[in-house]
Amino acid sequence: MQRPLNPTSAYAPDAGLSAAAGTQDYGNGALPAEQPVPAVAARKGHSRAAQIAVIAKRPDFLVTWIAPWFVFTFLATFYTYGFMQLPSVCVILSVILLSVSFAFLLLRHRSHVWLPLGVTLFVATIAGSVVGLYIYDQVACYPAFYANSRPYADVVATQ
């Protein structure tokens, strides 16, 4: 019987432990025949969506994707609504976030989370800045221009 998910994988719920109590499985797939497969997602009847749900609940996955999503959303919103009043703050914030992403890339040998977090934070910073500037240029700058335009009084529509 072939197992679709290696129990020593980082994404297996009980990674590295074989079905025998407390013994280590070194990745050769040799579990005793009388023991069940330990990975929850590898049991029969579990779909690919169940395997993805197991992966999506892991803290490493959440940190690697939620933090950059927040950065992208914040930068896009900040550039859209704040670029006319505070353009230097927008640029400084993007530079700070880019330097943080490069710092995470330099820390990639300390933990397995820093490299993916650095790459996704870099992409989120660039994409959030570009999307925010695009939305500002296409949509958000006109209400700001009209809000700062000169008001006219005593103008009759037939003149």
Side-chain angles (χ1 to χ4, degrees):
M1 180 172 120
Q2 202 171 44
R3 295 181 297 173
L5 187 63
N6 185 358
T8 60
S9 168
Y11 299 112
D14 39 349
L17 293 177
S18 71
T23 60
Q24 182 74 26
D25 181 12
Y26 294 103
N28 60 2
L31 290 175
E34 65 272 6
Q35 299 293 332
V37 176
V40 174
R43 284 190 237 150
K44 281 191 170 186
H46 284 258
S47 65
R48 188 75 165 161
Q51 292 176 353
I52 292 172
V54 168
I55 292 170
K57 290 179 184 176
R58 296 193 48 86
D60 298 344
F61 177 80
L62 296 175
V63 167
T64 306
W65 287 101
I66 289 179
W69 173 81
F70 176 75
V71 166
F72 170 80
T73 305
F74 176 75
L75 276 179
T77 305
F78 196 68
Y79 268 96
T80 299
Y81 295 111
F83 192 72
M84 182 164 284
Q85 288 81 20
L86 305 166
S88 60
V89 174
C90 293
V91 172
I92 289 171
L93 192 61
S94 292
V95 169
I96 289 171
L97 288 169
L98 283 174
S99 63
V100 167
S101 70
F102 283 125
F104 287 160
L105 289 173
L106 292 175
L107 293 172
R108 68 182 175 266
H109 296 296
R110 293 189 181 210
S111 175
H112 67 281
V113 173
W114 297 119
L115 178 66
L117 185 59
V119 170
T120 54
L121 187 63
F122 177 78
V123 171
T125 302
I126 297 296
S129 300
V130 168
V131 167
L133 283 173
Y134 179 78
I135 294 171
Y136 166 77
D137 185 50
Q138 295 296 315
V139 180
C141 65
Y142 299 114
F145 287 150
Y146 295 136
N148 295 325
S149 65
R150 178 179 169 194
Y152 292 98
D154 297 328
V155 177
V156 180
T158 60
Q159 290 182 342

